[in-house]
Amino acid sequence: MSDLKLVRISQSYGPRQIIDDLTFHLQEGHIGCLLGPSGCGKTTVLRCIAGFEPITAGHIEIGGDVVSSPARLTPPEKRQIGMVFQDYALFPHLNVAGNIAFGLGKHDASHKNQRVEELLSLTGLLDSASKFPHQLSGGQQQRVALARALAPKPHMLLMDEPFSNLDVELRERLSLEVRDILKREGMTALIVTHDQNEAFGIADIVGVMHQGAIQQWDTPYNLYHQPANRFVADFIGQGVFLPGMVMNNSMVEIELGVLHGMIPTDCDATGCDQCAHDCYVDVLIRPDDIVHDDESLLMAEVENKAFRGAEFLYTLKLPSGTRALSLVPSHHDHAIGERIGIKLAVDHVVAYRRLS
Amino acid sequence: MPETTLLAAKTPATGVFAFTRPTSWQVIAILIALLVVIPVVVIFSAWGKSETDILRHMAEFVLPELLSNTFWLLLGVGLGVTFLGVSLAWLTAMCDFPGRGFFSWALLLPLAIPAYVLAFVVIGLLDFTGPLQTALREAFGPLKLPQIRSRGGVILVMSLALYPYVYLIARNAFMTQGRTALEAAQSLGVNRWQGFFRVALPMARPWIAAGVMLALMETLADFGTVAIFNYDTFTTAIYKAWFSLFSLSAASQLASILIVFVLVLVLAEQHSRSNMKYGTVGRSVSHRRIVLSRKQGWLAAIYTGGVFSIAFLIPMVQLLIWAFDAAATDLDARYWAFVRHSLWLSGLGAFIVTLLALLLGYAGRQQPGHSMLLIQRIATIGYAIPGAVLAVGIFIPVAWLDNQLIDWLKPHGWQGTALLKGTLLVMLLAYAVRFLAVGFGSVDAGLQRITRSIDEAARVMGSHTWSLLSRIHLPMLRASLFTAAALSFVDIMKEMPITLMTRPFGWDTLAVRVFEMTSEGEWERAALPSVAIVLAGLLPVIFLASRGDKQ
């Protein structure tokens, strides 16, 4: 197993910059995830690590060895990286055992068989060893792809949207299974996905990507509660920005009251002296930051509602006319147009300089 | 198990041989399929009434040679087209070298030259009296060079003429499924050249096999090439049995042996096609072709360029030179009569093929199911049946029908001896059977694009069978129908044995003229009608090439 280091890498197709000065470090044995909307360049990063694409600046290290730099490109087959492709790319002319054994180059037959056996049992495919890919379900194909990638004991594993071809239920179950398998093997792995639930479910650490750059490389908890910038705040979870005014370096006032806590990530003066009274900010309010309370004097009109089973997601119209979201337990069923009492329950203040 | 017995009890009712009353669409489809079935049955039934002395003569003197000739020809052409087709497909699909873009479509051009045209051009060029050997003799004195009129020569010519079948389909396979699979192989520690043999080639095997089978079917069906080389195979033997020995039953018996070969190939082809559906891997992501080193790149360019020159460029130039020389004397009223006959027959044949293809496709749409699929399959199997076989198989029942009609008409004062035999009927029926698959392929593809919901939308708005056909289907099918007609038009124009064996008196076409001139060794005079055939043949190739670009 090895760690993975990307240092200030860039890549472009002609004039189009696909990856722009991107850096991160994935520690040995960790599962990392690149999360971003389609077209953000995340798959290209993966293909650069695998060696299918050259880079134009920076370098990539696996286990301390430089494998990619503008001057040098170790070919994919020499990198000892396992890869699970989005469509699995199983070899249709080989059966399950044959697919898994494919990468086990020059070992003798008994050693090969033993390794194949190990992986079949690790992935729960012992009964399917002699089946061909087209005879397997989507979930089974996915596990064969994983087993095939792990078989040669690679330095690390790359997975490109590994669950996107599966239906939702299977997706959740399999991602847990895969995490379990990777952890048992102590494998360093990097996954690419556009689905944050998937990312949060499987990864130790997540990099949110936008326009070819990493916006934040952090744990799922921090991405949600302490987003590093507006893009991350917007992309991860739900929520709205409410206009607010900084009062001092621990207080910001919004329409619904005064919030206490460390202020503005983005308000450049840490002490916030010079902006004491006229620094306008946008404060991120998540649906769980607004709590329904019949006692409260603060009222808002229900403009829309979506039933989620355990709770309702209400779109509320505040007195000023701005809108906010609120998650309310589902036994509080209010009609559209009704006015309900609300109060704030904000743990972390997340605010950015007002966009003029 | 109760379920299984229930299923088993149900099967006969829903199965292929269900004895429910067929609908009118099924009747139409079955009638079309009978056009194929009857000739085959007729040919096999010839074993009942054998003319023993001719048969004994054949078994002793002719058959062994025919069998060994056919065997070596199939083996040689099979290996030749596989090697040429696969290597060229791999180079143009996966590697980068100078001229790749040009060659990737230009390598299809040999499809436009019928094998029998390539045959006489190659003989004309490489024979003892040809320009090459003459020049070599003048330079180096008397030489002992391999004979072009030999088994090797036939195999060479046919391989050069037929490799595009393998090239086209293998290239498609490499382009659509080689990529992600190759990358997967690389991520498992296999370099790209090993990946070709361990992944790309085995994965493309069903495609390659299907392409080779098609090429071999053409080899079996070929008449003109082997006739020019004096290399006796079943097709030439059938021709001789009919026109030299005047024995239709000997011709049928030879035809029936040939059909057994064909059926083996058809089964092999269908088997590989059924394997194809498992063969695709992934979408093609953005990819880079293998960048060859400078030296490798030039070697690849020389190889592809060499094949292209030998299979197309040099023969074309020679053909044009000869045609130009012959034009002075041969471009007369007779020549224009050949052209007129060719156009007439091809047009008429293309119309019939397209009409039958439309009916068959439409029947499948109105009455889908397993039995219909089987009927369609049988009806379109004619592409595999050699023209010489069809000529015999259709002539016999038509002649029989003719005699019945005459017997029936005689008491009413009819005096003639032939009613249908001297007409275009036999020839047009044979064309229809042989080329229905070509037309049906594009018509059916067009019909598949008209989804059920389009039909249903039209129905909801009150459009029924005929108005549905005229207002929705025909306008949507226009391009497919045109393609079907154009492809079968060109195929009929190139066709030689059916035309030669069943044409009514006075209906000589361009292909017949080529046969007559080549059988007298008059290459220059054969070139003029050939040029017209090749020009017509370029049309579908350009169509194929442009479709390949879009993919």
Side-chain angles (χ1 to χ4, degrees):
Chain A
M1 285 346 99
S2 312
D3 65 334
L4 168 72
K5 222 182 248 178
L6 274 69
V7 184
R8 308 201 60 176
I9 70 157
S10 294
Q11 205 244 11
S12 48
Y13 273 124
R16 214 160 70 87
Q17 190 87 353
I18 308 289
I19 305 173
D20 186 12
D21 198 18
L22 178 137
T23 298
F24 69 79
H25 180 199
L26 180 63
Q27 270 159 6
E28 194 175 322
H30 279 210
I31 301 177
C33 181
L34 292 178
L35 173 66
S38 62
C40 70
K42 55 192 191 300
T43 295
T44 309
V45 175
L46 208 67
R47 293 174 61 79
C48 287
I49 299 169
F52 295 128
E53 308 279 345
I55 55 175
T56 48
H59 68 269
I60 300 174
E61 281 175 37
I62 296 171
D65 296 330
V66 176
V67 291
S68 278
S69 69
R72 235 175 67 81
L73 188 69
T74 308
E77 62 268 22
K78 297 271 168 60
R79 296 191 177 202
Q80 297 190 44
I81 290 179
M83 185 150 179
V84 175
F85 293 81
Q86 182 170 8
D87 46 36
Y88 316 139
L90 298 180
F91 302 130
H93 61 292
L94 299 175
N95 63 17
V96 169
N99 265 283
I100 296 176
F102 187 91
L104 298 174
K106 295 181 182 67
H107 299 292
D108 60 276
S110 71
H111 183 269
K112 270 190 193 177
N113 287 339
Q114 191 195 336
R115 181 69 184 149
V116 170
E117 200 80 357
E118 265 173 49
L119 280 149
L120 285 171
S121 77
L122 182 71
T123 48
L125 287 166
L126 278 170
D127 297 336
S128 312
S130 55
K131 287 189 181 163
F132 282 85
H134 67 267
Q135 297 168 311
L136 303 176
S137 69
Q140 288 172 317
Q141 292 185 7
Q142 216 269 346
R143 280 181 291 189
V144 176
L146 180 64
R148 183 179 71 178
L150 292 176
K153 300 193 173 164
H155 292 320
M156 65 169 302
L157 184 72
L158 302 174
M159 300 176 93
D160 184 8
E161 303 266 8
F163 307 107
S164 65
N165 283 344
L166 304 170
D167 56 60
V168 180
E169 234 169 287
L170 196 60
R171 202 181 291 183
E172 274 175 30
R173 211 189 67 218
L174 260 180
S175 66
L176 286 179
E177 254 180 62
V178 168
R179 182 179 163 83
D180 197 46
I181 291 171
L182 293 179
K183 285 295 173 194
R184 232 183 301 167
E185 295 268 297
M187 182 62 63
T188 316
L190 185 68
I191 293 160
V192 152
T193 180
H194 63 273
D195 179 337
Q196 40 184 301
N197 291 327
E198 200 172 296
F200 292 171
I202 200 168
D204 300 312
I205 191 155
V206 176
V208 177
M209 274 192 73
H210 178 53
Q211 292 180 342
I214 295 237
Q215 306 294 317
Q216 188 172 358
W217 178 254
D218 218 329
T219 61
Y221 184 90
N222 286 348
L223 288 178
Y224 188 81
H225 291 291
Q226 286 166 17
N229 59 31
R230 217 173 240 279
F231 177 82
V232 177
D234 227 16
F235 186 72
I236 301 288
Q238 283 179 303
V240 293
F241 286 104
L242 293 183
M245 199 176 71
V246 178
M247 298 171 72
N248 59 40
N249 61 10
S250 66
M251 278 155 72
V252 57
E253 189 185 10
I254 60 170
E255 187 180 349
L256 302 173
V258 174
L259 302 173
H260 298 264
M262 290 296 289
I263 322 267
T265 354
D266 211 16
C267 186
D268 43 13
T270 353
C272 210
D273 291 330
Q274 83 266 43
C275 63
H277 281 291
D278 47 347
C279 187
Y280 294 97
V281 290
D282 283 327
V283 181
L284 174 67
I285 301 294
R286 300 277 192 202
D288 50 331
D289 290 337
I290 297 179
V291 179
H292 175 41
D293 182 3
D294 286 326
E295 314 285 294
S296 174
L297 295 174
L298 201 57
M299 303 291 271
E301 185 187 322
V302 177
E303 195 178 66
N304 216 334
K305 61 184 202 178
F307 184 59
R308 292 276 175 87
E311 64 248 321
F312 276 109
L313 180 66
Y314 285 112
T315 307
L316 301 175
K317 195 169 163 191
L318 303 182
S320 69
T322 45
R323 280 152 187 87
L325 297 171
S326 172
L327 268 185
V328 174
S330 75
H331 50 270
H332 293 277
D333 185 6
H334 295 287
I336 288 174
E338 205 177 318
R339 290 171 64 77
I340 59 172
I342 53 168
K343 73 174 192 208
L344 281 176
V346 180
D347 292 335
H348 314 269
V349 178
V350 178
Y352 303 101
R353 188 185 285 266
R354 192 78 197 265
L355 294 176
S356 43
Chain B
M1 294 286 272
E3 280 102 329
T4 43
T5 44
L6 198 67
L7 260 177
K10 258 186 177 172
T11 326
T14 52
V16 172
F17 300 106
F19 277 98
T20 47
R21 227 177 82 92
T23 63
S24 50
W25 281 114
Q26 273 171 326
V27 171
I28 290 174
I30 289 170
L31 285 178
I32 297 174
L34 279 180
L35 288 180
V36 182
V37 175
I38 291 175
V40 174
V41 171
V42 163
I43 280 167
F44 276 104
S45 66
W47 286 101
K49 39 177 182 204
S50 44
E51 292 160 46
T52 31
D53 42 335
I54 293 183
L55 192 65
R56 195 173 305 131
H57 168 84
M58 286 200 317
E60 205 170 325
F61 300 105
V62 186
L63 262 185
E65 198 203 343
L66 291 186
L67 286 171
S68 93
N69 273 358
T70 304
F71 171 78
W72 288 113
L73 188 62
L74 287 179
L75 187 71
V77 175
L79 291 175
V81 293
T82 309
F83 178 78
L84 287 174
V86 173
S87 60
L88 294 170
W90 172 258
L91 284 173
T92 57
M94 307 299 282
C95 303
D96 242 337
F97 59 87
R100 188 200 66 81
F102 167 76
F103 287 124
S104 59
W105 67 266
L107 283 168
L108 284 173
L109 286 174
L111 268 183
I113 305 184
Y116 59 79
V117 172
L118 188 65
F120 79 75
V121 178
V122 167
I123 290 182
L125 276 171
L126 301 184
D127 213 6
F128 186 76
T129 53
L132 186 71
Q133 289 215 29
T134 312
L136 286 175
R137 267 197 308 276
E138 276 166 8
F140 304 105
L143 289 166
K144 194 152 172 55
L145 292 166
Q147 263 292 334
I148 185 65
R149 287 188 205 236
S150 60
R151 177 171 283 154
V154 190
I155 290 172
L156 176 76
V157 164
M158 290 237 202
S159 300
L160 287 171
L162 298 175
Y163 82 82
Y165 286 93
V166 182
Y167 169 75
L168 187 63
I169 197 168
R171 185 160 186 274
N172 233 325
F174 287 140
M175 303 245 299
T176 52
Q177 33 101 54
R179 298 247 151 80
T180 11
L182 272 186
E183 287 187 350
Q186 272 186 288
S187 77
L188 293 164
V190 167
N191 74 33
R192 292 213 248 198
W193 289 106
Q194 294 166 324
F196 170 68
F197 288 105
R198 288 189 60 191
V199 177
L201 200 56
M203 270 174 58
R205 203 165 41 198
W207 278 263
I208 294 169
V212 173
M213 292 309 142
L214 282 178
L216 291 184
M217 285 175 201
E218 290 295 318
T219 309
L220 281 182
D222 175 84
F223 170 80
T225 315
V226 289
I228 289 168
F229 274 90
N230 275 330
Y231 185 85
D232 277 331
T233 63
F234 282 94
T235 52
T236 52
I238 291 168
Y239 180 79
K240 281 178 192 160
W242 190 352
F243 290 96
S244 307
L245 302 173
F246 303 104
S247 168
L248 266 177
S249 62
S252 314
Q253 281 156 359
L254 288 168
S256 65
I257 302 174
L258 181 50
I259 280 224
V260 173
F261 277 94
V262 169
L263 285 180
V264 171
L265 289 182
V266 168
L267 290 178
E269 192 219 353
Q270 306 259 338
H271 175 73
S272 0
R273 283 197 188 273
S274 71
N275 282 340
M276 280 186 194
K277 58 176 174 283
Y278 308 130
T280 37
V281 163
R283 64 215 158 118
S284 25
V285 281
S286 62
H287 41 258
R288 281 148 214 275
R289 292 199 179 80
I290 300 178
V291 181
L292 299 177
S293 71
R294 235 180 116 74
K295 200 174 139 204
Q296 285 172 328
W298 281 108
L299 280 176
I302 289 168
Y303 172 61
T304 44
V307 174
F308 173 70
S309 306
I310 297 171
F312 186 79
L313 194 62
I314 297 172
M316 260 328 266
V317 170
Q318 178 64 70
L319 204 56
L320 287 172
I321 293 173
W322 281 339
F324 190 76
D325 289 346
T329 53
D330 277 11
L331 207 56
D332 51 10
R334 274 188 72 202
Y335 178 78
W336 293 112
F338 300 140
V339 173
R340 211 166 45 241
H341 292 153
S342 277
L343 293 179
W344 251 109
L345 288 174
S346 307
L348 211 53
F351 175 76
I352 294 171
V353 165
T354 312
L355 188 69
L356 290 180
L358 184 63
L359 283 173
L360 191 63
Y362 219 67
R365 194 176 170 81
Q366 300 300 78
Q367 204 73 52
H370 287 297
S371 51
M372 183 57 84
L373 275 180
L374 186 72
I375 296 171
Q376 285 182 334
R377 249 189 195 181
I378 292 171
T380 52
I381 210 77
Y383 70 94
I385 305 178
V389 174
L390 281 175
V392 176
I394 291 178
F395 179 81
I396 293 175
V398 169
W400 175 85
L401 190 65
D402 215 17
N403 291 337
Q404 301 297 310
L405 281 175
I406 288 165
D407 284 351
W408 182 72
L409 285 170
K410 250 181 195 152
H412 300 83
W414 174 264
Q415 294 297 317
T417 54
L419 202 58
L420 305 170
K421 268 184 290 198
T423 66
L424 296 175
L425 182 73
V426 177
M427 189 162 38
L428 290 177
L429 279 177
Y431 287 157
V433 172
R434 177 119 171 90
F435 301 117
L436 184 58
V438 175
F440 180 73
S442 52
V443 170
D444 197 46
L447 278 169
Q448 304 282 359
R449 280 196 294 272
I450 306 175
T451 59
R452 288 261 147 224
S453 49
I454 289 181
D455 278 14
E456 283 159 8
R459 285 242 180 100
V460 170
M461 290 182 273
S463 234
H464 287 300
T465 324
W466 290 112
S467 92
L468 191 67
L469 183 65
S470 63
R471 290 178 58 199
I472 310 284
H473 293 169
L474 284 182
M476 282 184 78
L477 282 174
R478 208 156 34 198
S480 317
L481 291 175
F482 177 76
T483 310
L487 291 178
S488 43
F489 182 93
V490 172
D491 269 342
I492 295 173
M493 195 145 166
K494 293 199 276 191
E495 207 288 330
M496 186 181 274
I498 294 175
T499 319
L500 196 62
M501 293 164 80
T502 64
R503 71 188 192 283
F505 181 76
W507 277 90
D508 286 0
T509 64
L510 292 167
V512 173
R513 176 73 172 170
V514 173
F515 175 76
E516 283 171 350
M517 289 297 106
T518 52
S519 51
E520 287 163 27
E522 302 244 26
W523 317 134
E524 290 88 348
R525 300 184 67 194
L528 194 58
S530 298
V531 167
I533 293 174
V534 172
L535 287 181
L538 280 173
L539 286 176
V541 177
I542 290 166
F543 167 77
L544 264 179
S546 67
R547 199 175 54 175
D549 283 351
K550 271 180 227 150
Q551 273 169 357

